[in-house]
Amino acid sequence: MSRFPATRLRRWRRTPALRAMTREATVAASDFVYPLFVTAGATVRREVPSMPGVHQLSADGELEREIAEVADLGIGAVILFGLPATKDGQATQAYAAGAPVQRAIGLIKKAAPELVVITDVCLCEYTDHGHCGIIREGVVDNDSTLDLLGKVAVSHVAAGADVVAPSGMMDGMVGAIRAALDAAGHADTAILSYAVKYASAFYGPFRDAAQSPPAFGDRKSHQMDPANVREALRECELDVGEGADALMVKPALPYLDVVRAVRERFPLPLAAYNVSGEYAMVKAAAAKGWLDERACVLELLTGIRRAGADLILTYHAKDAARWLREA
Ligand code: PBG
């Protein structure tokens, strides 16, 4: 066993070059997935108050400008959320051909064919009650929601999406979407499952951004209890069995132990979602001059990678990509 004074760990920390060559975890723009909120209407660029720097954009020149920036920064992918013109009990705008997300996909594929387009597959932005599925007798009905999720996924892929990401935490959602995609001739399209999604207070700002707060109740009947990690592994096991091509843990920062546990048990590509509330905390503290935004963001992204995530969904993607380029 090596001991002080023979062993001195400061030797590798002496210069930037020595630190760089012994660095274990790296962060690159190509690891990032940038979330975009696509709204109905024209020439809309509306900043989300609780998420400075993040905008709701219409599927026209506004989105095109954003995509040009994202592609130029070398960001790996975008994930799309939709804000439809109308909402109803059956979430019909979630799979309508001319709805904002479907239009946005076509536009992005034209503007930046290499950029990976992932779509969020959930009903909460499209139902008038804001829940993630069909309501029956006051609760979110799992099985009648599955058919709709399949339909939504097929409409995204028909529009050109590369990857679909179901986020509603319905049991059986991955299998139902896999079957629907295969039946529609999309056997080659991957499913990134939000397999481990906690019932988190850190989604608060997102619900402003996507205009999707539940009108009554909460999401604890389908999203996971923050106290559980063994259950997270069961969620992953089921999703892998149903055909998931990649897994996600969400949120990221309070759940890095979960990221690590999933990483150790499953060889699939793993994503972590650095969610809206995590972003808002950093932005608010930085605005007050209480934190060094650049240093904190690069540190937290490194932490998420070190915990074992391959991909990071983050609202910091554009800033971080710029800082990494300058570094
Ligand atoms: C559901 C969905 C949510 C988020 C991503 N997909 C909200 C929710 O479950 O309430 C949250 C993302 C974030 O907070 O950044 N479509």
Side-chain angles (χ1 to χ4, degrees):
M1 227 217 293
S2 48
R3 290 204 186 282
F4 178 81
T7 304
R8 292 174 182 269
L9 295 183
R10 287 181 55 175
R11 286 172 192 143
W12 283 121
R13 300 178 194 145
R14 202 162 50 79
T15 69
L18 289 168
R19 291 194 290 275
M21 66 185 284
T22 54
R23 187 159 295 135
E24 298 176 36
T26 58
V27 180
S30 55
D31 307 328
F32 300 154
V33 180
Y34 187 55
L36 291 171
F37 299 98
V38 188
T39 181
T43 64
V44 181
R45 170 171 283 265
R46 196 183 302 124
E47 189 166 44
V48 181
S50 51
M51 301 174 71
V54 173
H55 299 80
Q56 300 171 345
L57 302 168
S58 47
D60 51 23
E62 296 300 334
L63 181 63
E64 272 163 359
R65 264 205 287 149
E66 191 83 2
I67 288 300
E69 198 184 344
V70 166
D72 178 60
L73 286 166
I75 290 169
V78 291
I79 181 163
L80 305 181
F81 297 93
L83 289 84
T86 58
K87 305 189 186 211
D88 55 49
Q90 302 295 313
T92 54
Q93 286 306 301
Y95 52 85
V101 164
Q102 286 77 358
R103 284 182 38 220
I105 297 166
L107 188 147
I108 296 169
K109 279 291 154 192
K110 224 191 268 162
E114 304 296 309
L115 185 66
V116 173
V117 176
I118 306 174
T119 58
D120 183 84
V121 176
C122 190
L123 304 186
C124 64
E125 296 129 56
Y126 305 93
T127 51
D128 49 14
H129 44 69
H131 280 287
C132 306
I134 300 300
I135 298 291
R136 278 223 181 123
E137 288 160 19
V139 297
V140 180
D141 184 65
N142 194 87
D143 295 11
S144 58
T145 300
L146 296 180
D147 288 342
L148 269 180
L149 293 177
K151 225 161 141 171
V152 175
V154 168
S155 81
H156 291 168
V157 179
D162 297 298
V163 179
V164 292
S167 65
M169 290 298 280
M170 295 299 116
D171 286 326
M173 67 182 183
V174 172
I177 289 172
R178 184 73 272 158
L181 290 178
D182 290 359
H186 302 304
D188 287 333
T189 303
I191 300 174
L192 162 59
S193 178
Y194 284 68
V196 184
K197 178 170 174 182
Y198 289 93
S200 172
F202 289 95
Y203 306 150
F206 173 93
R207 292 175 189 174
D208 288 345
Q211 292 164 359
S212 62
F216 58 90
D218 54 36
R219 301 197 169 140
K220 291 181 183 164
S221 73
H222 47 290
Q223 297 181 346
M224 278 184 56
D225 186 325
N228 296 355
V229 63
R230 296 194 310 268
E231 186 188 354
L233 300 176
R234 296 188 75 200
E235 283 285 359
C236 291
E237 205 170 287
L238 280 171
D239 283 4
V240 170
E242 290 173 28
D245 299 285
L247 300 169
M248 192 194 303
V249 172
K250 174 183 174 191
L253 299 178
Y255 300 92
L256 292 181
D257 60 320
V258 182
V259 172
R260 170 53 44 192
V262 173
R263 166 79 301 150
E264 283 175 1
R265 187 89 162 255
F266 298 92
L268 285 78
L270 177 60
Y273 201 143
N274 176 214
V275 300
S276 58
E278 298 173 312
Y279 176 81
M281 289 194 298
V282 173
K283 294 300 275 190
K288 285 190 170 266
W290 291 349
L291 282 180
D292 175 341
E293 182 178 356
R294 174 186 165 135
C296 286
V297 168
L298 293 175
E299 180 177 335
L300 70 86
L301 294 172
T302 302
I304 296 169
R305 290 273 296 154
R306 190 197 61 243
D310 301 303
L311 302 173
I312 307 174
L313 288 80
T314 180
Y315 303 96
H316 296 294
K318 289 196 298 177
D319 290 332
R322 244 176 249 119
W323 294 326
L324 289 167
R325 180 177 279 184
E326 290 160 12

